[in-house]
Amino acid sequence: ISRFAGEQRIFYTMYNTSMTASEISTNEYIRLQVLPRKAVKIMTFLSNRITSSEPATVKVSFLDEFSNRDISVSDKITFRNSENDIIGETYADSGFASHKININKSSIDSIHASTSSGFTAWTNICKVTTEIKPKIWWGDLHTHSIYSGHGRGYTEDLVSYAKQSSLLDFIA
């Protein structure tokens, strides 16, 4: 548990104990860090429309059963096209990887990701074209944090979850 008192940070660990509301002053916040369990799956994402003239970004997150990112994972990830050709390799860092790949032909395709620990997943289907068209961005247009008065979590936690667990392009 991290305890924040103004700009001063005090770190301590609690074992089988709890704090009551009277033990916390009204000027302090208690921030709990959710530690995910061991990853049970990977989630992959690829833009649904890409061009053969520019690299596309494949994103991979290692998730526990509650869709929290397992930051302890550092696996090798291999990407293959639908014809089973290897089109890229990378390593996950803190349970997340982002890798640029090239698909050189116009088609409708999906990318297969496999990890050194045995996880496998297919990306969403994408259309590969030779012409550049407007891109679709995935995001959340309405979010709240602790600063809005009725949200939960800090802004940096919200951004981290949106980018690395939900694989969103933006939040507002």
Side-chain angles (χ1 to χ4, degrees):
I1 297 176
S2 302
R3 186 174 181 183
F4 294 88
E7 295 297 315
Q8 189 178 31
R9 293 183 181 196
I10 304 163
F11 295 97
Y12 58 92
T13 305
M14 297 172 57
Y15 295 97
N16 299 321
T17 60
S18 62
M19 291 182 71
T20 63
S22 63
E23 293 175 300
I24 304 169
S25 103
T26 56
N27 295 329
E28 295 179 313
Y29 294 100
I30 297 290
R31 181 179 180 184
L32 299 176
Q33 180 180 5
V34 176
L35 298 175
R37 298 178 184 201
K38 189 159 178 57
V40 297
K41 63 184 174 184
I42 60 172
M43 182 171 68
T44 59
F45 176 79
L46 177 67
S47 177
N48 65 345
R49 183 177 294 271
I50 59 177
T51 62
S52 57
S53 61
E54 58 185 57
T57 303
V58 180
K59 299 177 184 179
V60 179
S61 279
F62 289 78
L63 305 175
D64 68 9
E65 67 267 30
F66 302 107
S67 294
N68 295 310
R69 189 167 52 100
D70 181 355
I71 60 174
S72 68
V73 178
S74 297
D75 279 2
K76 179 180 179 181
I77 305 169
T78 303
F79 300 102
R80 298 176 184 270
N81 60 16
S82 56
E83 297 164 355
N84 209 28
D85 300 323
I86 294 177
I87 57 174
E89 291 182 331
T90 191
Y91 287 88
D93 181 30
S94 299
F96 178 77
S98 179
H99 186 68
K100 300 237 183 241
I101 60 167
N102 289 308
I103 302 174
N104 299 322
K105 61 179 183 168
S106 294
S107 65
I108 295 178
D109 210 344
S110 182
I111 306 302
H112 183 258
S114 59
T115 70
S116 57
S117 60
F119 293 112
T120 64
W122 285 91
T123 64
N124 49 296
I125 294 174
C126 67
K127 182 176 182 182
V128 183
T129 62
T130 55
E131 57 189 73
I132 297 175
K133 292 194 174 190
K135 294 182 179 181
I136 294 177
W137 297 89
W138 296 99
D140 189 342
L141 293 173
H142 191 108
T143 60
H144 290 274
S145 70
I146 195 168
Y147 302 112
S148 61
H150 56 278
R152 293 184 179 165
Y154 290 86
T155 307
E156 60 269 15
D157 299 327
L158 181 66
V159 171
S160 175
Y161 184 81
K163 287 173 68 177
Q164 298 178 349
S165 293
S166 298
L167 303 178
L168 297 178
D169 296 308
F170 68 90
I171 59 171

